[in-house]
Amino acid sequence: MDHHLFGRAGMSMIKMERVTNLAFLSGFRTRCMLVTSAFAMWWVIITLHISHSPPGSTLFMGPSLDFSTQAAGKDAAAAASLHSLLLSTNPIAENSASGLHHHHHPDTQLSRALHDEEEEERTFKEEEEEENQVQQELVEDPCAGRYVYVHDLDPRFNEELLRQCKKLNPWVDWCNVVSNAGLGTMVKNNNRSGSSSEEDVEAGSSSLDLQLELESGAWFETNQFALEMIFHNRMKQYTCLTKNSSQAAAIFVPFYAGLELAMNLWGANISVRDEAPAKLVGWLETQSEWKPHYGHDHFMVGGRITWDFRRETDDEGDWGNKLFVLPACLNMTLLVIEASHLHQNDVGIPYPTYFHPSLDSQIHHWQQRMRQASRPWLFSFAGASRTEALGGSIREDIISQCSNSSRCKLLACQNDADNNICLQPHHLMKLFSNSVFCVQPPGDSYTRRSIFDSMLAGCIPVFFHERSAYTQYVWHLPANHSSYSVMIASSGENKADNIEEVLLRIPTAEVEHMRQTVIGFIPNLVYANPLAPPLQTSKDAFDIAVQAVIDRVAAWKVQNQQFQGLQKQGTEETAMSMHRRVQRRCN
């Protein structure tokens, strides 16, 4: 509220207090007139306060998507205060008011009914005109309602991190990882392609065809934690960018949160880990773009799992930083490769795969290639054992079942980054494209990048926990989970039911339908090449995520406006109700 409003209201209330002292000596009617005046002044102050409050102030919203009830509490307190004033000036007013009845003349009731009908008709026409106006704006401006404003951050929050690529990982040089706008090194024919390996011989000539496919210029050795760079560079291609933040449907914060954290995740104390997030949020809160909605229209990408940014304590031994638990970030939409089921403001979006098409035709050709793929293996698993992670013991059981089945193909991963066969696109895509089902147990966390690599190859995923996909990627995967995947329950502690028996019981027609469903939504799972012109007809994972964020922000704005309207309406109705009570008592 403006200070001059407080000043005038305060002086008025001081004067009223002095008059009140005299009113107690002047009789009942004088006291009633005083209360009426006090009520009128209170109503004016509340109305002015609402009209001058910013839409993002705490009167109307809390720090997160849950709306605050503080304002309702203030209204109730104000009502109680005035009620006490009424009782103090006339102790018997409450009892006598209960016996009063307000009778409406029939003509008055008819007049009100006609008025209500006219008001409803007027509201309907206004809504219709508003809808027509929106449609007209969409025709005139195809970006209407889709504009995105991008914050111009200090380079230390993004570009400067790329120039320090040798420091991004304490064990591996990441300069190749951040090359090609985050896509990494392009896949080429080399001695690691495994052209004479066992799986190539079993797959026949199709293996050579797949190798040539992977050398089409659309395949890169992309790191699973490179999403922040890829998303930012795709945003630079977005056709509806704007420099006018008031025109924006959403506001993007291009902070490379995961890369910054990786530089300090191992060995650094918590003050070092929390320094950049605190500075970023502090800067955001000072920006004019932040204040209209206090960050509810902002979104950011974290290229790691959400738990890396949600350290709960200040113990030096705890993992990660506190970026996502900072008060300002509670209002933002946070896109991560694995989201939390406990928090409503972060959303899972696909891990980056190795496939980054530059043309729609590359997507269509790959889909057709996967429809025609020969799949000699009923199921397969690519991974290593885990002893302490979420999927530790169940992985041991899966590896055992696969090793003992003639229908399963196992690709044993190694911890050596330079020689890990599971980090080489040729080997992975050959395995998955030759398999009907791909087993996807939890790993270091509930999700794993292999889920998307396997679906990219048209392989039906087999899950053991709903948080591996069903509650994560709600924007990119079908709501009907059984239409594209299989869930196998645990038969005991860290033991899976017999995988082979479960999969063999699924009818062939149902298996075919599931595979076609997976292949059909491949475009939803890939991030197009940000170094090439945007795709013409296909919507990739980036497009889906941005539109979903815009829809999410729009829904919040509607909800917030409705809340403000209800609060204002409630305040006015409370005021008028109290005004009528005062008038009845004074008459």
Side-chain angles (χ1 to χ4, degrees):
M1 181 187 290
D2 294 340
H3 293 292
H4 69 273
L5 293 178
F6 277 121
R8 293 175 184 175
M11 292 299 296
S12 298
M13 294 303 294
I14 291 172
K15 293 177 181 179
M16 286 165 52
E17 182 178 358
R18 293 173 179 173
V19 175
T20 300
N21 294 331
L22 297 175
F24 277 107
L25 305 176
S26 302
F28 177 65
R29 183 167 296 278
T30 303
R31 291 199 297 272
C32 288
M33 293 175 62
L34 170 64
V35 173
T36 303
S37 300
F39 165 77
M41 178 60 68
W42 174 83
W43 184 53
V44 169
I45 291 173
I46 290 298
T47 303
L48 289 175
H49 183 71
I50 292 175
S51 64
H52 285 75
S53 294
S57 67
T58 55
L59 177 65
F60 300 119
M61 69 189 74
S64 66
L65 288 175
D66 295 329
F67 297 106
S68 174
T69 58
Q70 293 178 359
K74 291 179 180 178
D75 289 344
S81 177
L82 188 55
H83 180 65
S84 299
L85 179 60
L86 287 171
L87 293 180
S88 67
T89 56
N90 187 0
I92 64 171
E94 186 68 27
N95 293 331
S96 61
S98 62
L100 295 178
H101 299 280
H102 190 71
H103 298 283
H104 298 284
H105 193 277
D107 291 342
T108 303
Q109 294 179 350
L110 177 60
S111 176
R112 288 184 177 179
L114 292 173
H115 173 75
D116 292 343
E117 185 176 352
E118 292 174 356
E119 183 70 17
E120 184 178 352
E121 180 67 20
R122 184 182 64 81
T123 302
F124 175 78
K125 288 182 178 180
E126 289 178 353
E127 292 176 351
E128 188 176 29
E129 291 174 359
E130 183 178 352
E131 182 177 353
N132 292 335
Q133 183 179 357
V134 170
Q135 294 298 327
Q136 182 63 28
E137 290 176 354
L138 289 175
V139 173
E140 297 175 355
D141 182 3
C143 286
R146 298 175 54 232
Y147 283 108
V148 173
Y149 177 89
V150 180
H151 273 296
D152 185 15
L153 300 184
D154 188 301
R156 62 179 171 170
F157 294 119
N158 44 44
E159 299 298 334
E160 180 60 32
L161 294 170
L162 303 183
R163 291 191 282 270
Q164 302 181 58
C165 55
K166 292 183 180 295
K167 301 179 181 179
L168 292 177
N169 188 296
W171 302 283
V172 180
D173 184 340
W174 263 45
C175 292
N176 284 335
V177 172
V178 303
S179 64
N180 290 318
L183 303 184
T185 305
M186 184 178 294
V187 173
K188 297 179 180 179
N189 184 20
N190 53 50
N191 293 331
R192 298 189 305 167
S193 65
S195 58
S196 60
S197 64
E198 179 184 349
E199 62 264 30
D200 290 344
V201 175
E202 292 167 343
S205 61
S206 63
S207 176
L208 177 61
D209 295 339
L210 181 61
Q211 180 174 315
L212 295 175
E213 184 81 36
L214 297 183
E215 296 165 6
S216 65
W219 294 82
F220 297 79
E221 295 182 355
T222 305
N223 188 279
Q224 65 176 342
F225 297 130
L227 183 56
E228 296 151 353
M229 295 173 286
I230 298 171
F231 201 97
H232 185 199
N233 285 297
R234 283 285 285 113
M235 182 62 75
K236 294 175 182 178
Q237 297 179 311
Y238 187 63
T239 56
C240 294
L241 293 177
T242 179
K243 295 293 185 180
N244 181 4
S245 62
S246 64
Q247 186 184 34
I251 297 178
F252 179 55
V253 182
F255 176 37
Y256 294 171
L259 297 187
E260 193 283 327
L261 175 61
M263 294 182 66
N264 303 303
L265 188 55
W266 294 273
N269 59 42
I270 59 174
S271 61
V272 173
R273 282 180 265 159
D274 293 340
E275 181 180 2
K279 288 182 177 179
L280 172 74
V281 169
W283 179 85
L284 283 174
E285 291 180 313
T286 65
Q287 302 305 299
S288 58
E289 296 83 9
W290 179 269
K291 295 178 181 178
H293 301 294
Y294 287 81
H296 283 279
D297 55 348
H298 282 52
F299 70 106
M300 179 169 57
V301 175
R304 302 180 68 92
I305 66 174
T306 186
W307 308 110
D308 290 347
F309 307 107
R310 291 189 177 277
R311 196 186 73 246
E312 296 181 353
T313 74
D314 289 331
D315 294 340
E316 291 291 345
D318 278 3
W319 180 261
N321 63 26
K322 283 191 170 183
L323 174 62
F324 284 7
V325 300
L326 295 176
C329 286
L330 298 180
N331 291 352
M332 298 172 61
T333 297
L334 309 169
L335 308 182
V336 285
I337 54 179
E338 177 177 322
S340 164
H341 64 287
L342 301 175
H343 304 88
Q344 298 301 313
N345 65 319
D346 59 339
V347 182
I349 61 176
Y351 282 75
T353 66
Y354 300 112
F355 185 42
H356 304 283
S358 300
L359 302 169
D360 295 281
S361 59
Q362 290 177 323
I363 297 178
H364 302 153
H365 180 74
W366 177 255
Q367 287 176 297
Q368 187 60 25
R369 176 75 176 81
M370 292 302 98
R371 291 188 181 99
Q372 298 172 349
S374 173
R375 301 180 185 270
W377 303 109
L378 174 64
F379 65 108
S380 64
F381 174 61
S385 62
R386 291 285 193 275
T387 56
E388 298 179 356
L390 285 172
S393 297
I394 199 171
R395 277 198 174 205
E396 297 296 331
D397 184 50
I398 289 170
I399 291 173
S400 175
Q401 289 194 39
C402 186
S403 300
N404 294 321
S405 172
S406 61
R407 293 186 172 94
C408 182
K409 179 64 180 177
L410 176 65
L411 186 64
C413 301
Q414 302 169 356
N415 293 324
D416 185 354
D418 293 330
N419 299 302
N420 190 347
I421 196 173
C422 294
L423 297 180
Q424 299 171 16
H426 285 91
H427 289 289
L428 277 179
M429 301 314 294
K430 288 172 189 174
L431 175 70
F432 295 150
S433 64
N434 286 332
S435 305
V436 178
F437 296 95
C438 291
V439 181
Q440 302 293 353
D444 296 321
S445 63
Y446 289 112
T447 66
R448 58 196 305 249
R449 180 238 182 92
S450 177
I451 294 171
F452 296 95
D453 290 331
S454 64
M455 290 192 291
L456 177 60
C459 190
I460 302 168
V462 178
F463 298 121
F464 300 85
H465 201 292
E466 63 177 8
R467 293 179 196 162
S468 292
Y470 299 162
T471 62
Q472 294 285 344
Y473 311 106
V474 295
W475 292 346
H476 295 79
L477 296 178
N480 182 2
H481 308 141
S482 62
S483 69
Y484 71 93
S485 66
V486 177
M487 174 68 75
I488 293 183
S490 173
S491 60
E493 185 177 354
N494 294 317
K495 296 289 184 180
D497 288 343
N498 189 296
I499 299 172
E500 182 174 330
E501 291 182 0
V502 171
L503 298 180
L504 286 174
R505 287 198 298 264
I506 303 175
T508 302
E510 186 175 342
V511 172
E512 179 62 23
H513 181 268
M514 295 166 70
R515 179 164 57 249
Q516 294 305 320
T517 299
V518 170
I519 295 173
F521 61 65
I522 283 178
N524 300 10
L525 310 180
V526 301
Y527 295 92
N529 190 337
L531 300 176
L535 300 175
Q536 296 300 306
T537 59
S538 302
K539 299 297 182 183
D540 71 344
F542 167 86
D543 294 320
I544 293 173
V546 171
Q547 186 58 53
V549 168
I550 290 173
D551 293 341
R552 177 184 172 94
V553 172
W556 176 86
K557 288 180 178 178
V558 170
Q559 187 178 8
N560 188 47
Q561 289 173 355
Q562 291 174 345
F563 179 80
Q564 292 184 39
L566 289 173
Q567 184 171 24
K568 183 174 182 180
Q569 179 183 353
T571 301
E572 292 177 348
E573 288 178 352
T574 300
M576 294 306 299
S577 175
M578 295 178 68
H579 177 66
R580 286 193 293 270
R581 291 179 61 189
V582 171
Q583 290 287 50
R584 288 199 301 268
R585 292 173 182 177
C586 291
N587 293 328

